[in-house]
Amino acid sequence: MEAVLTAARSWSEQDPDDETRAELDALVAAATGDPVDETAVASLRERFSGRLAFGTAGLRAELGAGPQRMNRVVVTQAAAGLARFLIDTGRDRSVVIGYDGRVNSDVFARDSAEVMRGLGLEVTLLPSALPTPVLAFAVRHLGVGAGVMVTASHNPPRDNGYKVYLGGEDDGSQIVPPVDGEIAAAIDQVAAGDLRDLVRATDYTVAGEALVRAYVDATAATVPAPRLPADAQPTVVYTAMHGVGWETARAVFAAAGFAEPVVVPEQIEPDGAFPTVSFPNPEEPGAMDLSVARGVAVGADLVIANDPDADRLALAIPDGAGSFRRLSGNEVGWLLGWRAAEAFAAGSPDTSGTLAASIVSSPALSRVAERYGLEYRDTLTGFKWVSRVPGLVFGYEEALGYLVDPTVVRDKDGISAALALLDLAVSLAADGRTIADQLDAFAAEFGAFASGQVSTRVDDLSRIGAIMAALRSSAPSSLGGLGVTGVTDYSDGVEGFPPSDILRYDLEGGARVIVRPSGTEPKVKVYIDTVAGTPAQAQALVDALAADVRPRVS
């Protein structure tokens, strides 16, 4: 315990944040008091049991003191490590930094700007709390070597995070191996020293509103002029879920000629406390309750939600029973993918293009690609992979992420996806049709697909490894009454994929079950996809598979 106490005291001495320094000092005092507070001892042991692992998703964790939390020490070390990586590898020594509305996002962004500038980089800080897609756009628009976004996206309220993009040959995509390991090694070298030895400088550039306007104009240009005037367009309800999406989304919708949505006033302004949602993720039960209630109250045709950093999009449509149903990420992906394929084939009949989706997303998009003579690619989960597909026309992942125009942003973008859905909804309305009608048309054209998900959240991360090991040691012969026709274990790398902790079960009738640990949360996630004669039959298969799989991953 003495080593932990020594590490905690050393950490506190270099911590520039009064709040986390006081938090740590209080834990040390309680752990060394008489009597000893065993809870404080356990907390210190956990916080100093290692460091937050920097990976392809950067950093993401709960706010607090110590190397296993998100705080100013960890972020400053990460910023200095990234800067040294850029310098040591001979990359462009310029970076743009953005931040959202979470607690301390602005502080972490300024710390990063000062440290990177102190190390000699050309640094541009975005002018205010803005969506992640604006930062991703800025990496390419400014032609910089790297981008940093301070955000925890749709994580719980007390979390924050740090995402890294690269310019140059990476073209504004998020980092992938082995770069993540190289940056992590540089961060470790910084962490071995004292934070107070780092030189800081404040003569970095703060971007003007012209940069934000450039994103707005480029995004608005991804759709044609609406086929209906504003007063004849479908009624739309929008929620920012206490995030930073609204002002930018509002500007994009207006620039493209669409009517301003009805907002959810309780959730429209950025608020890092997230007072109306316990988990600000549109996929979570209850997260869209306020927006649905607003939709019912105003008789809306659509309810759309951005997550707190606006890189994801959720859509709900009237259910015919006086309320709304949220479409799955796959359903939205099918609709946007069909729209993109049709437009690309019409506009570029002699040009090859590719549709792409993460491996855990529905196989329905491959049917669309086949129908329009396009290539199709599965990728590993995460837009760091989807965005890198050559010749990409459209890409998505079932976790509400959509890339509708790779020439603007090489990442998922909940604002451009919302605009694409508005364009689709207005075009359908001009023909007397709805999004629900388009889903029926998709089933008739490409097959009745359905998808579902089972998740098991764990308190002990070792449980994840145990669950995956148990599945590998005893492969089922059937699931949900369907025979298993093939099992693919990606742990050794298959089909061009690098080694990954993924199990795939192919089943009779074209159904599929994929199991993997979450990349950002302490969960084991199961993805279920089916296809049948009707949507109801496909959903019944999903339900049967979910009932069988759930106890196997509990």
Side-chain angles (χ1 to χ4, degrees):
M1 184 60 191
E2 193 57 40
V4 172
L5 290 171
T6 298
R9 292 184 179 112
S10 175
W11 186 276
S12 180
E13 289 172 0
Q14 61 178 323
D15 189 349
D17 190 302
D18 292 340
E19 183 176 337
T20 49
R21 190 170 60 250
E23 175 188 342
L24 195 54
D25 291 347
L27 284 172
V28 170
T32 56
D34 186 14
V36 170
D37 185 333
E38 294 299 337
T39 300
V41 170
S43 181
L44 285 172
R45 288 188 186 277
E46 185 272 326
R47 290 168 188 249
F48 287 87
S49 61
R51 291 184 55 80
L52 286 182
F54 184 93
T56 55
L59 299 169
R60 199 175 292 186
E62 182 182 355
L63 293 166
Q68 291 278 39
R69 299 286 191 274
M70 282 295 293
N71 50 66
R72 292 182 67 186
V73 177
V74 164
V75 166
T76 302
Q77 291 168 341
L82 174 58
R84 290 184 176 175
F85 162 80
L86 294 174
I87 294 168
D88 293 344
T89 56
R91 291 175 179 258
D92 188 320
R93 299 185 183 188
S94 58
V95 62
V96 58
I97 301 169
Y99 57 96
D100 67 5
R102 283 180 178 261
V103 174
N104 274 356
S105 285
D106 57 338
V107 176
F108 294 162
R110 285 193 294 270
D111 278 339
S112 298
E114 291 177 6
V115 169
M116 289 179 161
R117 182 67 188 127
L119 287 168
L121 270 62
E122 294 297 322
V123 177
T124 300
L125 181 68
L126 294 190
S128 59
L130 286 162
T132 292
V134 176
L135 181 279
F137 169 82
V139 174
R140 303 174 77 193
H141 183 71
L142 298 177
V144 295
V148 169
M149 183 67 192
V150 182
T151 179
S153 192
H154 60 296
N155 270 38
R158 283 295 298 169
D159 284 10
N160 214 324
Y162 205 76
K163 295 172 66 172
V164 175
Y165 300 78
L166 289 178
E169 63 183 19
D170 292 273
D171 204 20
S173 292
Q174 291 184 58
I175 57 173
V176 295
V179 165
D180 58 329
E182 295 172 15
I183 296 173
I187 293 171
D188 288 343
Q189 289 180 349
V190 172
D194 193 310
L195 206 66
R196 292 167 291 186
D197 294 335
L198 291 173
V199 176
R200 289 175 175 255
T202 59
D203 60 336
Y204 53 82
T205 299
V206 177
E209 290 299 324
L211 190 151
V212 181
R213 189 70 219 179
Y215 168 82
V216 168
D217 291 343
T219 304
T222 62
V223 299
R227 292 178 56 194
L228 294 174
D231 59 1
Q233 293 174 15
T235 301
V236 178
V237 165
Y238 173 91
T239 179
M241 208 156 286
H242 300 296
V244 294
W246 172 235
E247 289 302 326
T248 306
R250 180 187 198 179
V252 166
F253 300 159
F258 289 89
E260 183 168 308
V262 177
V263 302
V264 180
E266 302 94 330
Q267 297 179 332
I268 205 63
E269 297 295 333
D271 188 339
F274 299 99
T276 69
V277 287
S278 58
F279 204 137
N281 178 355
E283 292 182 294
E284 292 290 326
M288 290 185 66
D289 284 357
L290 279 177
S291 54
V292 165
R294 186 72 164 151
V296 171
V298 302
D301 301 292
L302 300 175
V303 173
I304 56 177
N306 282 140
D307 68 335
D309 69 326
D311 66 347
R312 286 174 169 82
L313 173 77
L315 170 68
I317 61 175
D319 64 1
S323 189
F324 286 75
R325 79 168 182 95
R326 186 180 69 78
L327 271 58
S328 72
N330 280 319
E331 288 174 309
V332 175
W334 305 338
L335 295 181
L336 292 181
W338 187 12
R339 170 186 175 275
E342 193 168 49
F344 183 82
S348 308
D350 300 321
T351 305
S352 61
T354 303
L355 303 183
S358 64
I359 192 174
V360 297
S361 300
S362 169
L365 193 62
S366 63
R367 295 262 185 106
V368 176
E370 182 180 6
R371 179 66 53 85
Y372 287 91
L374 300 173
E375 298 294 322
Y376 176 77
R377 285 275 300 274
D378 277 327
T379 75
L380 289 178
T381 55
F383 261 83
K384 54 187 172 285
W385 300 110
V386 175
S387 68
R388 294 170 181 269
V389 170
L392 185 64
V393 172
F394 170 82
Y396 91 98
E397 59 181 4
E398 50 72 42
L400 309 186
Y402 315 97
L403 198 171
V404 300
D405 193 331
T407 66
V408 177
V409 171
R410 283 277 172 177
D411 194 17
K412 57 184 174 292
D413 183 345
I415 294 175
S416 62
L419 182 65
L421 276 175
L422 292 183
D423 172 61
L424 176 61
V426 169
S427 294
L428 290 169
D431 295 330
R433 302 172 62 231
T434 66
I435 293 289
D437 294 331
Q438 190 74 343
L439 286 170
D440 291 340
F442 186 93
E445 185 78 11
F446 303 103
F449 288 83
S451 60
Q453 191 178 126
V454 173
S455 294
T456 297
R457 183 177 289 272
V458 300
D459 295 323
D460 181 356
L461 290 178
S462 67
R463 279 286 301 140
I464 293 178
I467 291 169
M468 297 301 293
L471 290 172
R472 286 189 168 94
S473 66
S474 181
S477 59
S478 67
L479 290 170
L482 298 176
V484 175
T485 60
V487 180
T488 305
D489 187 344
Y490 288 77
S491 59
D492 293 326
V494 295
E495 300 174 2
F497 291 99
S500 306
D501 194 6
I502 298 173
L503 286 169
R504 169 175 166 163
Y505 303 92
D506 290 301
L507 310 173
E508 294 173 330
R512 185 186 73 183
V513 171
I514 295 178
V515 187
R516 75 171 184 96
S518 169
T520 57
E521 299 175 84
K523 288 181 177 180
V524 173
K525 303 181 83 170
V526 182
Y527 305 84
I528 301 167
D529 290 288
T530 64
V531 59
T534 67
Q537 291 170 338
Q539 186 59 50
L541 291 174
V542 168
D543 294 342
L545 286 165
D548 190 348
V549 166
R550 189 171 287 107
R552 297 175 188 265
V553 296
S554 298

